[in-house]
Amino acid sequence: MKIFCGRANPTTGSVEWLEEDEHYDYHQEIARSSYADMLHDKDRNIKYYQGIRAAVNRVKDRGQKALVLDIGTGTGLLSMMAVTAGADFCYAIEVFKPMADAAEKIVQKNGFSAKIKIINKHSTEVTVGPDGDMPCRANILVTELFDTELIGEGALPSYEHAHRHLVQENCEAVPHRATVYAQLVESRRMWSWNKLFPIHIQTGVGEQVIVPPLELERCPGAPSVYDIQLNQVSPSDFTALSDVLPMFSVDFSKQVSSSAACHSKRFEPLTSGRAQVVLSWWDIEMDPEGTIRCTMAPFWAHSDPEGLQWRDHWMQCVYFLSQEEPVVQGAALWLVAHHDDYCVWYSLQRTSPEVGTDLRQVRPICDCQAHLLWNRPRFGEINDQHRTDQYVQALETVLKPDSVCLCVSDGSLLPVLAQHLGAEQVFTLESSAASHRLMKKIFKANQLEEKINIIEKRPELLTSADLEGKKVSLLLAEPFFTTSLLPWHNLYFWYVRTAVAQHLAPGVVVMPQTASLHAMVVEFRDLWRIRSPCGVCEGFDVHIMDDMIKRALDFRESREAEPHPLWEYPCRSLSEPQRILTFDFRQPVPLQPVRAEGRMELSRPGRSHGAVLWMDYHLTPASSVSTGLLRPAGDKGDCCWNPHCKQAVYFFSPTLDPSVPLGGLQTVTYVVEFNPHTGDIVMDFRLSDDSGAVH
């Protein structure tokens, strides 16, 4: 059976209906999940098995049958661990039907069908009794319902219901306990992901400053956590204002509440500074004694930094205080962790909370529009003074006193730069109401609301009246559009340029003039694990592949390039970067595909995990900005990536493992094609030897 799925095309801006297989949702879910990453998480798998085995033994030692409830079983892995550890029976709950079907096959394939029952329901719909899904309550509760924030996948409501309806009082639970930790820090780098800083513009007549509106300064920011690979943030990028503080714990073996709560912890600042950011992570203890422990701590807070387990399905959290606050070394403060049933946030108290004081507060939300329009990397990009200087220098070479400028990026400050640099008139095209409102606030705060015209329209609907009858002599873009995921999605600028062609003056200057797509073969330190499924789970010898999962992992979504912020995922270059395609924005979008074929020599030994692709935008013949590699790789091939952008990664399957000595270089051949009708870029990479044979 086929189904049709609607999709907004981020490159062309049009809405498309695509015909998909009936298992599309399942394939998409698996292809985009951290499924393979969890299979490679040996530390997680071993600790879960040790904890389950210990829980089963405790129940058996009491002379009871070991009856296990596994909520969110996925592949059935934890249930199979329980049976291997001696459990008498397992009830494995999985709400997603295709995944439940896969679990049935995996359990059968491994010979556990007699002792594991897959229940395709949400856990809150499971019934207990003679005619129910379970004949009686379980005495061992096993779950893996956690995300980077611990409670973001609904762990608390699920546990609350399970204890009330599905498990015995004081049951064994694996994990037994979770503890959330926090550390208060000052960090200009991380604070730049949350607030708009004053931006300095050096012009021929002196310095101008773009100031943020008061609404942005007072706004508490986005309520959502920013989950990142905190191990890739250098300790030099922040100043610790507190020790690592255990904020709260949840005992999963007892009744759990999903009600809103808060937990305060007294501390004395280690140094004076400005409290801005809370770094947070958690650990889980698989047994009551706390001897089997799995921690998400970053390397500076880890008991064994050298033995740190890399994982991407659980990372670390960055939270932003509503406002930065000065703190004084040694003067006592209270850090407060608030949470509801799904989210955590933090605040700072200067006085001791009295016993019985209710510190619960409403979860902060953005009321300035900026945090709705700009994500955290975009805030960092706008606050990047070096990047601003690059645009100012480029604008100075193309602006004239009589320039009529049209800016077409989402929520960009280019209109302000153009105005300060002396353009005669500036228009900005803001297609969303959110960007319109935000830019209006920024222009007003800088006394420019009468000097910059905001047009809230889609580009194809632009009229001469919107431009006051004038022709555009300078078309500007960063380009940046909020709908873009992959680097080339910002080619939407090319389609906008084509749509407004009738409003462009003869000899119009377009900035950027051109763009180029670049590629490089790399070896990842760890990222390869997320797309490298293994037939046997690491740390536990069961086969977890069925044909459906194999097909899902080979789904279109997993075989195309996918976006990743590579500053978080170290890699080495095995080839030199190579320009693949060039796009000329001075001309309309062509009618015919733009295609390139070529080869990249592997100049360094290593495992070729994939190709990284990114865009460079050539503002003028002498000025370019890159969304990818910021400087040439050194002798060892170490890469420095633009931290404000996601790069595209095309994972090779299988991983190419060059065995030919460097004296006889192997190459990766490629075919890359841009289809102007769909806006898609399709690609294929193959390993070939010196004879030209493709493998």
mmCIF file of all heavy atoms in Angstrom, residues 3 19 112 126 131 260 264 285 307 321 370 383 385 414 433 521 633 665 669:
data_model
loop_
_atom_site.group_PDB
_atom_site.id
_atom_site.type_symbol
_atom_site.label_atom_id
_atom_site.label_comp_id
_atom_site.label_asym_id
_atom_site.label_seq_id
_atom_site.Cartn_x
_atom_site.Cartn_y
_atom_site.Cartn_z
ATOM 1 N N ILE A 3 1.157 5.553 0.509
ATOM 2 C CA ILE A 3 0.530 6.698 1.145
ATOM 3 C C ILE A 3 1.174 7.956 0.590
ATOM 4 O O ILE A 3 2.271 7.917 0.032
ATOM 5 C CB ILE A 3 0.685 6.654 2.678
ATOM 6 C CG1 ILE A 3 2.181 6.655 3.062
ATOM 7 C CG2 ILE A 3 -0.017 5.454 3.263
ATOM 8 C CD1 ILE A 3 2.418 6.746 4.547
ATOM 9 N N GLU A 19 4.771 10.219 -2.738
ATOM 10 C CA GLU A 19 4.233 8.879 -2.548
ATOM 11 C C GLU A 19 5.251 8.045 -1.772
ATOM 12 O O GLU A 19 6.424 7.963 -2.146
ATOM 13 C CB GLU A 19 3.944 8.236 -3.906
ATOM 14 C CG GLU A 19 3.195 6.916 -3.797
ATOM 15 C CD GLU A 19 2.901 6.310 -5.163
ATOM 16 O OE1 GLU A 19 3.765 6.401 -6.054
ATOM 17 O OE2 GLU A 19 1.812 5.742 -5.327
ATOM 18 N N PHE A 112 13.189 -16.638 22.745
ATOM 19 C CA PHE A 112 12.615 -16.200 24.014
ATOM 20 C C PHE A 112 11.089 -16.101 23.989
ATOM 21 O O PHE A 112 10.489 -15.587 24.934
ATOM 22 C CB PHE A 112 13.187 -14.829 24.404
ATOM 23 C CG PHE A 112 14.655 -14.836 24.725
ATOM 24 C CD1 PHE A 112 15.574 -14.287 23.845
ATOM 25 C CD2 PHE A 112 15.109 -15.387 25.908
ATOM 26 C CE1 PHE A 112 16.926 -14.283 24.141
ATOM 27 C CE2 PHE A 112 16.461 -15.385 26.218
ATOM 28 C CZ PHE A 112 17.381 -14.842 25.331
ATOM 29 N N VAL A 126 -2.583 -0.551 29.483
ATOM 30 C CA VAL A 126 -2.409 -1.965 29.828
ATOM 31 C C VAL A 126 -3.300 -2.316 31.018
ATOM 32 O O VAL A 126 -3.413 -1.548 31.989
ATOM 33 C CB VAL A 126 -0.933 -2.260 30.139
ATOM 34 C CG1 VAL A 126 -0.758 -3.671 30.696
ATOM 35 C CG2 VAL A 126 -0.089 -2.085 28.876
ATOM 36 N N ASP A 131 -8.634 -11.427 32.666
ATOM 37 C CA ASP A 131 -8.887 -11.187 31.247
ATOM 38 C C ASP A 131 -8.041 -10.032 30.703
ATOM 39 O O ASP A 131 -8.304 -9.523 29.611
ATOM 40 C CB ASP A 131 -10.371 -10.865 31.024
ATOM 41 C CG ASP A 131 -11.279 -12.012 31.443
ATOM 42 O OD1 ASP A 131 -10.904 -13.169 31.175
ATOM 43 O OD2 ASP A 131 -12.333 -11.739 32.042
ATOM 44 N N ALA A 260 4.381 19.047 39.323
ATOM 45 C CA ALA A 260 5.453 20.046 39.307
ATOM 46 C C ALA A 260 6.118 20.102 40.676
ATOM 47 O O ALA A 260 5.468 19.968 41.715
ATOM 48 C CB ALA A 260 4.884 21.408 38.932
ATOM 49 N N SER A 264 16.017 22.908 45.891
ATOM 50 C CA SER A 264 17.043 23.950 46.047
ATOM 51 C C SER A 264 18.302 23.362 46.657
ATOM 52 O O SER A 264 18.256 22.403 47.445
ATOM 53 C CB SER A 264 16.521 25.095 46.921
ATOM 54 O OG SER A 264 16.233 24.638 48.227
ATOM 55 N N GLU A 285 21.545 4.696 38.798
ATOM 56 C CA GLU A 285 22.085 3.581 39.579
ATOM 57 C C GLU A 285 21.154 2.401 39.376
ATOM 58 O O GLU A 285 19.938 2.501 39.591
ATOM 59 C CB GLU A 285 22.194 3.965 41.047
ATOM 60 C CG GLU A 285 23.188 5.093 41.272
ATOM 61 C CD GLU A 285 23.124 5.662 42.675
ATOM 62 O OE1 GLU A 285 22.217 5.253 43.441
ATOM 63 O OE2 GLU A 285 23.955 6.527 43.001
ATOM 64 N N GLY A 307 38.075 6.570 30.493
ATOM 65 C CA GLY A 307 37.160 5.492 30.141
ATOM 66 C C GLY A 307 35.776 5.990 29.780
ATOM 67 O O GLY A 307 34.806 5.225 29.831
ATOM 68 N N LEU A 321 19.779 30.894 32.563
ATOM 69 C CA LEU A 321 18.987 31.637 33.529
ATOM 70 C C LEU A 321 18.171 32.696 32.797
ATOM 71 O O LEU A 321 18.556 33.162 31.722
ATOM 72 C CB LEU A 321 19.896 32.287 34.574
ATOM 73 C CG LEU A 321 20.706 31.337 35.466
ATOM 74 C CD1 LEU A 321 21.530 32.142 36.462
ATOM 75 C CD2 LEU A 321 19.795 30.357 36.205
ATOM 76 N N ALA A 370 12.244 36.629 19.350
ATOM 77 C CA ALA A 370 13.575 36.255 18.843
ATOM 78 C C ALA A 370 13.868 34.779 19.059
ATOM 79 O O ALA A 370 14.416 34.100 18.184
ATOM 80 C CB ALA A 370 14.655 37.109 19.506
ATOM 81 N N ASN A 383 25.738 36.977 16.838
ATOM 82 C CA ASN A 383 26.640 37.610 17.803
ATOM 83 C C ASN A 383 28.113 37.497 17.425
ATOM 84 O O ASN A 383 28.970 38.022 18.135
ATOM 85 C CB ASN A 383 26.436 36.989 19.187
ATOM 86 C CG ASN A 383 25.164 37.474 19.857
ATOM 87 O OD1 ASN A 383 24.819 38.644 19.758
ATOM 88 N ND2 ASN A 383 24.455 36.581 20.538
ATOM 89 N N GLN A 385 31.103 38.686 15.985
ATOM 90 C CA GLN A 385 31.555 39.990 15.500
ATOM 91 C C GLN A 385 32.435 39.854 14.260
ATOM 92 O O GLN A 385 32.366 40.686 13.350
ATOM 93 C CB GLN A 385 32.325 40.728 16.602
ATOM 94 C CG GLN A 385 32.708 42.158 16.245
ATOM 95 C CD GLN A 385 31.517 43.073 16.040
ATOM 96 O OE1 GLN A 385 30.625 43.126 16.888
ATOM 97 N NE2 GLN A 385 31.479 43.802 14.932
ATOM 98 N N LEU A 414 21.233 42.365 8.106
ATOM 99 C CA LEU A 414 21.791 43.002 6.912
ATOM 100 C C LEU A 414 21.107 44.322 6.575
ATOM 101 O O LEU A 414 21.787 45.278 6.158
ATOM 102 C CB LEU A 414 21.706 42.059 5.713
ATOM 103 C CG LEU A 414 22.798 41.001 5.570
ATOM 104 C CD1 LEU A 414 22.577 40.193 4.294
ATOM 105 C CD2 LEU A 414 24.183 41.615 5.559
ATOM 106 N N ALA A 433 5.129 36.292 10.092
ATOM 107 C CA ALA A 433 4.698 37.328 11.031
ATOM 108 C C ALA A 433 5.687 37.456 12.185
ATOM 109 O O ALA A 433 5.930 38.567 12.684
ATOM 110 C CB ALA A 433 3.307 36.986 11.566
ATOM 111 N N VAL A 521 36.392 13.858 2.327
ATOM 112 C CA VAL A 521 36.260 12.538 2.949
ATOM 113 C C VAL A 521 36.874 12.598 4.347
ATOM 114 O O VAL A 521 37.965 13.155 4.536
ATOM 115 C CB VAL A 521 36.956 11.456 2.107
ATOM 116 C CG1 VAL A 521 36.827 10.085 2.774
ATOM 117 C CG2 VAL A 521 36.375 11.417 0.704
ATOM 118 N N ALA A 633 42.963 21.852 7.149
ATOM 119 C CA ALA A 633 43.322 20.832 8.133
ATOM 120 C C ALA A 633 44.836 20.798 8.297
ATOM 121 O O ALA A 633 45.594 21.017 7.353
ATOM 122 C CB ALA A 633 42.801 19.469 7.689
ATOM 123 N N LEU A 665 47.705 5.625 -4.085
ATOM 124 C CA LEU A 665 46.513 6.244 -3.522
ATOM 125 C C LEU A 665 45.236 5.660 -4.097
ATOM 126 O O LEU A 665 45.134 5.424 -5.298
ATOM 127 C CB LEU A 665 46.537 7.756 -3.774
ATOM 128 C CG LEU A 665 47.610 8.551 -3.033
ATOM 129 C CD1 LEU A 665 47.530 10.007 -3.430
ATOM 130 C CD2 LEU A 665 47.452 8.412 -1.533
ATOM 131 N N THR A 669 35.269 8.329 -5.824
ATOM 132 C CA THR A 669 34.647 8.996 -6.961
ATOM 133 C C THR A 669 33.246 9.447 -6.559
ATOM 134 O O THR A 669 32.618 8.848 -5.681
ATOM 135 C CB THR A 669 34.544 8.061 -8.179
ATOM 136 O OG1 THR A 669 33.712 6.945 -7.844
ATOM 137 C CG2 THR A 669 35.916 7.569 -8.591
#
